[in-house]
Amino acid sequence: MSAALPWALRGVAAGLAVSKSIPVGLELYSVRDELQKDAQGTVRAVAKMGYQCVEFYAPYFDWTVAQAKDMRKLMDEIGIRCYSTHNDENFFGSEKIGHAIELNKILGTKYMVQAWSDPKPDAASWKALAEKLNAASEKLAASGLKVGYHNHDAEWKPVDGKRPIEILASNTKPNVMLQLDIGTCLEAGADPISWIKANPGRIRSIHCKDWSPDPNIGYKTLFGEGKADWKGIFQAAESVGGVEFYLIEQEGSRYSEMETAQRCLEAYHSTRGAS
């Protein structure tokens, strides 16, 4: 052990050490077919795999208050958390935000993340979206919730000479979380590590979705089998980005949904353990 100590200290000094305490969860879109068949059974199975949190996506909005309370009861029993939900853009509008807030408070959520916005033709349109996110942030604050925004590939493709993701970052309040999707960032040719370092404290959640440049595979690659530099991403996220939790996401693979989720979690832990 004493012989290994100098190497370990060099690793810390070089900024290679990362925290092992950041919880890892599953974006439940990854197991969407199973979730649709049996929501509680799927959450129970995901917890048994070793996931520490889950992220419910848009269909959760159709739950009744009673259904949300039943899910929260289950999560409390099995020791799994829901730190964020994925939401359609109109969930933040006046007609739906009340129900969304009620469900998220029951679930114990911290962030309501806007999962998607249609690609926009100019910088002004993206700036208008930023203002909507700021407005949503104010609405949610009274309920103890925060807003987040999840990128796709369109946010990395310049309009009017600037990347939309930069427009969103510079025109939203610091408390608006920029949830980074690694796979779509890579597909667009962007560098997730540079982005994290350029936005300290804003990258409080990351979708750990890999991407393969092989057109026959793309997003169907498993965690760790694609292009992502996960060790570098983890290091940047924890030293600069302010990450609070990681979420594995898969759009499918050569395995079943549940086996895919299990294999990705094992690969995640293997990568983290080797950091």
Side-chain angles (χ1 to χ4, degrees):
M1 184 173 292
S2 60
L5 187 58
W7 179 89
L9 290 175
R10 283 199 300 272
V12 172
L16 298 178
V18 294
S19 170
K20 299 296 189 292
S21 64
I22 307 296
V24 59
L26 184 69
E27 160 52 63
L28 291 172
Y29 181 77
S30 307
V31 290
R32 52 198 173 277
D33 293 339
E34 294 298 322
L35 191 72
Q36 186 175 14
K37 286 186 265 184
D38 181 2
Q40 290 213 359
T42 300
V43 171
R44 189 181 293 275
V46 165
K48 191 173 181 180
M49 289 179 192
Y51 282 101
Q52 297 161 287
C53 56
V54 292
E55 184 175 68
F56 293 102
Y57 70 108
Y60 90 92
F61 183 83
D62 295 329
W63 291 351
T64 63
V65 167
Q67 286 174 308
K69 287 182 176 178
D70 285 344
M71 182 59 76
R72 176 61 186 271
K73 181 181 178 183
L74 170 68
M75 291 194 300
D76 287 345
E77 287 174 358
I78 62 179
I80 199 167
R81 298 287 304 276
C82 174
Y83 297 113
S84 59
T85 56
H86 257 206
N87 299 269
D88 290 347
E89 192 163 7
N90 63 5
F91 292 3
F92 297 93
S94 58
E95 293 183 4
K96 296 188 175 183
I97 196 168
H99 184 58
I101 288 172
E102 186 173 26
L103 296 182
N104 277 270
K105 289 186 71 174
I106 291 169
L107 292 171
T109 301
K110 184 174 181 180
Y111 297 99
M112 278 181 56
V113 181
Q114 182 171 324
W116 168 263
S117 187
D118 290 331
K120 311 201 180 305
D122 51 45
S125 299
W126 286 105
K127 189 172 182 180
L129 173 60
E131 292 306 318
K132 287 182 180 180
L133 292 169
N134 287 333
S137 176
E138 293 179 6
K139 290 180 184 177
L140 296 180
S143 301
L145 294 166
K146 296 181 180 180
V147 70
Y149 184 81
H150 177 87
N151 68 266
H152 288 77
D153 58 333
E155 284 84 354
W156 303 99
K157 299 173 181 177
V159 293
D160 294 342
K162 195 164 187 178
R163 296 188 300 183
I165 193 72
E166 294 169 341
I167 298 171
L168 293 175
S170 61
N171 288 282
T172 48
K173 298 176 180 179
N175 63 356
V176 175
M177 173 176 70
L178 302 173
Q179 186 183 66
L180 176 58
D181 184 295
I182 299 298
T184 56
C185 177
L186 291 172
E187 185 192 28
D191 179 358
I193 295 174
S194 294
W195 177 249
I196 293 168
K197 291 179 177 179
N199 292 274
R202 300 288 303 273
I203 318 297
R204 297 190 286 276
S205 171
I206 289 179
H207 269 210
C208 297
K209 178 170 67 183
D210 220 324
W211 176 76
S212 169
D214 183 339
N216 296 314
I217 301 176
Y219 295 127
K220 296 186 183 299
T221 190
L222 295 176
F223 178 96
E225 293 184 0
K227 188 179 178 181
D229 172 9
W230 290 112
K231 291 182 184 180
I233 289 166
F234 293 146
Q235 169 57 29
E238 293 168 35
S239 64
V240 180
V243 70
E244 297 172 7
F245 55 99
Y246 295 113
L247 293 161
I248 287 173
E249 183 187 22
Q250 283 290 134
E251 296 191 15
S253 82
R254 58 191 183 275
Y255 302 105
S256 69
E257 286 183 344
M258 299 305 280
E259 185 175 354
T260 294
Q262 179 71 61
R263 285 175 176 269
C264 285
L265 183 61
E266 290 170 358
Y268 169 89
H269 284 307
S270 177
T271 302
R272 295 279 289 156
S275 296

